């Protein structure tokens, strides 16, 4: 009930200060988040290099999936798709259905990002939101779709 200025009291100022604090936290986080992306990319590239050096193809593929996701977070869609395609190739060669699905996920998100207009005539939601540059035969993905798919491309 302590008045500060006219009808404005300490309680009202305290309540309104929550908005200021929330916006300040969001601003600080947004500025720091770009550093997290850079750190994740550096770590993934280091692990990818080490996995390639020791011949661990599965770890290489998963790091390429991580790099694809980081690329999407940073708005680098083309690089993200290239990383995802490289990962998909590795997982197809390893016949790893789970890895194939992980590699297809950033490709699907990239397709949604670059699809200009889903209301375009002849563009069904499935056709425009689901990329199929290298579909996967005999995997989780092929069981989820009615059309036959292959790893060859």
């Amino acid at each position: 009930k302590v008045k500060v200025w006219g009808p404005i009291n300490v309680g009202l100022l305290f309540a309104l200060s929550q908005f200021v604090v929330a916006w300040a936290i969001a601003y600080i986080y947004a500025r720091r988040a770009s550093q997290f992306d850079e750190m994740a990319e550096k770590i993934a590239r280091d692990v990818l290099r080490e996995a390639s050096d020791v011949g661990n193809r599965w770890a290489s593929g998963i790091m390429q999936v991580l790099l694809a996701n980081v690329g999407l977070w940073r708005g680098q869609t083309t690089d993200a798709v290239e990383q995802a395609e490289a990962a998909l190739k590795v997982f197809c060669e390893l016949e790893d259905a789970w890895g194939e699905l992980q590699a297809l996920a950033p490709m699907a998100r990239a397709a949604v990002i670059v699809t200009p207009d889903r209301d375009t005539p002849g563009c069904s939601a499935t056709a425009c939101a689901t990329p199929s540059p290298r579909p996967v035969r005999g995997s989780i993905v092929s069981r989820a779709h009615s059309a036959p798919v292959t790893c060859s491309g």
Side-chain angles (χ1 to χ4, degrees):
K1 293 186 174 189
V2 177
K3 300 284 183 181
V4 176
W5 181 64
I8 298 173
N9 62 27
V10 172
L12 183 59
L13 287 177
F14 180 72
L16 292 175
S17 71
Q18 292 179 38
F19 293 104
V20 174
V21 170
W23 280 101
I25 290 170
Y27 174 77
I28 292 167
Y29 177 78
R31 290 189 50 107
R32 295 289 306 234
S34 65
Q35 294 174 356
F36 301 148
D37 294 345
E38 292 168 7
M39 288 188 309
E41 183 176 9
K42 183 185 180 316
I43 291 168
R45 289 199 186 282
D46 289 346
V47 172
L48 176 59
R49 188 172 23 262
E50 289 177 24
S52 297
D53 289 348
V54 297
N56 187 339
R57 298 186 64 221
W58 190 88
S60 295
I62 251 343
M63 287 303 106
Q64 288 171 321
V65 170
L66 176 57
L67 288 168
N69 283 308
V70 170
L72 287 176
W73 300 332
R74 298 179 86 186
Q76 301 165 343
T77 309
T78 303
D79 294 340
V81 170
E82 289 172 2
Q83 289 290 341
E85 286 176 340
L88 182 59
K89 181 180 178 196
V90 168
F91 290 124
C92 284
E93 291 169 358
L94 294 174
E95 297 180 1
D96 182 341
W98 183 84
E100 294 169 9
L101 188 59
Q102 297 305 308
L104 286 170
M107 293 169 73
R109 286 191 294 277
V112 171
I113 291 169
V114 298
T115 301
D117 185 6
R118 291 196 187 124
D119 295 330
T120 303
C123 183
S124 69
T126 304
C128 290
T130 307
S132 57
R134 291 190 193 173
V136 186
R137 181 184 324 206
S139 72
I140 297 166
V141 175
S142 66
R143 289 189 291 275
H145 299 300
S146 58
V149 289
T150 67
C151 263
S152 61

